[in-house]
Amino acid sequence: MFKKPRSRLAPRGREKSPEDTSQTTSEKGESVEESPIAIASRLKNKAKRTKPKSTLSFGGDEEAGDGEVFQVKKSNLSQKLTLGTHPANVLPVSLDQATITPRSNGAPVYDQAYLSQLKASTPSSRRGPVTEGYDADVSMDPGETGLEATEISVDLETVIPSESSISSAKQKRERLRTHGTEDDFISLSVTKRDTVPQGPHPESRLMREEDELGEGDDEYAEYTSAQERIALGKKSKKLEASKRKGAMQEMIADADEEDEETMEWEREQLRRGGPFPTSREVSPVKQVYKPAAIPTSSAIPSLGPAMDRLSQSLTAMTTSHATNVKAAASLIDEREQLDAREVELREMIAKAEAKRSWFAAFKEWVESVATFLDEKFPKLEKLEDEYISVLKERSEMITQRRQTDDQDDLSLIFGSLPATADYSEEVDDLGRVLPRANPVAVRRERQAARIARRVRRERERETRAIRTQPDQEEGYSTDSSLPPSDAIDYQSAMERIASDGHALLSDVRAAEFRDPSLGLAKWFGEWRRRFGDSYTGAWGGLGLVGAWEFWVRLELLGWNPLETSHTLDEFSWCTSLHEYCGDKDDDLEPDTGPTNDLVSAMISTALVPIICKVVEAGALDSYSALDTRNMINLAEQVEASIGHDNHKFQMILKSVNSVFERSVSTWESMLAPFIALNRPVFDPDAIAARRRLLRHASKLFDTLIRWRKYTGERLGIGDLCIRHMNNVVLPIAESGWEVGGEEITREMIAITPHEVIHALKAPLKSLAS
């Protein structure tokens, strides 16, 4: 709808181009060549005559004379250039016409007249207003306008105003702006604010669209059909239809019209805009028929080379097919491997998740067990310390009574020791010194008590139908028993410790904490069954032993291994561990970790320290053959479980040796002052006292030989036997060799090993021969 209207001028014949009119005829009919200035002037006049009317590109056509035609005004300088009337701008045709006077050496001379002429011909004034008649759209050939056709005119000589005139003009303008009227002062703004409608908000500088002057419909009514009226009558409808039809015919005529001047104008505008060809300038290329080229003749191929090429192609295709088949087979195998690997990874993920969840539950349970042990273990250790203290107290009482009995017999044999050396002052709880009793009276009281104990023991033997030789001295067969009152206190203390041990778990209701075979064995057994590698790598067996130790020590609380001949297999903890190690329901070897046997690990971890403490506390009586026999049986069981080279087994041997070492040292320290005194007096009771001492020493020597027979010469048990014979038995026997000393000594030599006899003193060796 917005189409640039074309001129409604009637088409005219094609006028001559500047090239056609480059030559004109004179009045006489002769051809005369026109000058470039004349040609340019004629083209200008022609453009004025033939220039189309200027119309809007989006509006309707304007009739001739309907309104003022838009024309570009030309300045005076442009008019003078066009007309070429200024003589100063007319350049000479050739350099021969130059009027510059050269010097004698060939250089031009710039005199005053020439400089004045040059200043007059130089354009120095501002560009004048554009006058009518100049058309900037007229195309001019650069070849036609040269320096010869250029004319520059200067109306007046440029006058530079002085400083006083400039300052007076400024003062006048400032005075008019300040005190003058509106007519005297020209404002720089286009409109005055007072003359413009202020709108509903005059204090705001913002303007809304509806506050502007005029309406868009009124301003562009000509192009938006805002002023058109709807035809209602028959006549008006017919008139409206005829107008539309005329407009359509006019538009069709404009579209079909080929105005050469308009086309020339359009081409000139396109040329100025850039090298973009229009669709009218593009003419279709005429299709020219070209026959196909006839190929050159070639020789007919023979059968042999063709067969060879086919064979090569077949071989290459066969090789390619075999390669592709092999690649496809490898891809199938790889896919199968990936599928199998995927299944394996999924199984691994499921196992890992199951393992994680199980170990999370196992960790929670272990933490609860640790909390339980942290609460109960200190109480158990306290009860164990009480048990060891009771054993030490009992051992000290028995040892003290033995020493006093032996000292009484030594006093009868070697004489009484001085009071300062034999007794020490006794004080009560308030620090008062107790009166010292008569040693002879005290000795008699102890002797009477010993006889009473022997009579009571004989009666018990008779009731048990135990027969002994009546003349055989038992050697203090009752020296390891406590008095009735002390025995009752000892028994009540043992019962109290046992009851406290049973009450230690009285507040526990969970069965898995009361019985480790229901808790520890269940969890650790499941760990070994489901995750054997983790169980073995984490030494799960030793972890089970460490957790089970509490219940083992609780069961062994108050246990004296030397008072009974029971084996370790009779304990419930040993049976439970054997069941755990050799579970028949599992297809597993009896493997419990790096130790391969939890019972051995438990004996090494929990049982051996208890045995050492009990033995060193005095539970082992070095004079008792029964205790020695039970100790040997216990040592054999421990040795069978953990081995004789185990350092824990060596700890048991050292504890037993320490007990025998202490007994021999006690004899030597007790006998030394009496041997040094050696002031015997005649006393009929001395012969019986000597025999009791030798029988007592013989009992110790007998237990030493029994223990040496089991252990051998390890830890110096043979040296203890030699020390006991040379330093204890021989001095007592020599004081009454004929009255029983030689007889008892021969009995002791008879059981002495040959390795020990070679180290004895000469009197003892003579008895052996």
Side-chain angles (χ1 to χ4, degrees), residues 388-569:
I388 296 299
S389 64
V390 170
L391 290 179
K392 286 183 178 180
E393 185 178 359
R394 173 178 175 272
S395 176
E396 290 175 358
M397 293 173 63
I398 293 174
T399 302
Q400 182 66 28
R401 191 178 64 183
R402 282 176 180 170
Q403 288 183 2
T404 55
D405 291 342
D406 292 339
Q407 288 176 359
D408 293 341
D409 292 336
L410 289 174
S411 300
L412 294 175
I413 297 173
F414 297 100
S416 299
L417 295 176
T420 56
D422 193 7
Y423 298 98
S424 59
E425 293 183 354
E426 296 181 1
V427 296
D428 57 4
D429 297 338
L430 299 177
R432 295 173 296 183
V433 178
L434 297 177
R436 184 178 301 174
N438 188 3
V440 178
V442 173
R443 189 182 304 119
R444 289 176 181 177
E445 291 178 1
R446 286 197 294 264
Q447 186 177 4
R450 183 167 59 248
I451 293 172
R453 288 198 305 270
R454 284 179 55 81
V455 172
R456 187 170 57 252
R457 186 177 180 84
E458 288 294 336
R459 291 175 182 176
E460 292 177 358
R461 285 177 175 271
E462 291 177 357
T463 56
R464 297 176 188 174
I466 300 176
R467 296 181 180 180
T468 59
Q469 297 181 3
D471 56 348
Q472 183 179 1
E473 178 66 30
E474 295 183 5
Y476 301 136
S477 60
T478 61
D479 57 359
S480 61
S481 60
L482 293 173
S485 59
D486 295 337
I488 293 174
D489 294 341
Y490 173 76
Q491 189 65 27
S492 63
M494 290 293 104
E495 292 176 357
R496 181 181 57 80
I497 292 174
S499 63
D500 291 345
H502 290 298
L504 194 60
L505 299 179
S506 60
D507 58 340
V508 179
R509 297 292 181 268
E512 59 183 4
F513 288 102
R514 297 181 64 88
D515 188 359
S517 60
L518 301 178
L520 290 175
K522 172 181 172 294
W523 281 96
F524 279 86
E526 187 177 358
W527 182 13
R528 181 183 62 176
R529 183 177 60 257
R530 298 181 60 179
F531 314 106
D533 296 340
S534 175
Y535 177 85
T536 304
W539 300 64
L542 294 182
L544 175 63
V545 169
W548 207 315
E549 182 181 354
F550 169 77
W551 286 272
V552 173
R553 292 171 63 175
L554 182 61
E555 186 178 359
L556 295 177
L557 181 63
W559 171 61
N560 189 350
L562 305 178
E563 292 181 353
T564 178
S565 59
H566 294 170
T567 60
L568 298 178
D569 297 337

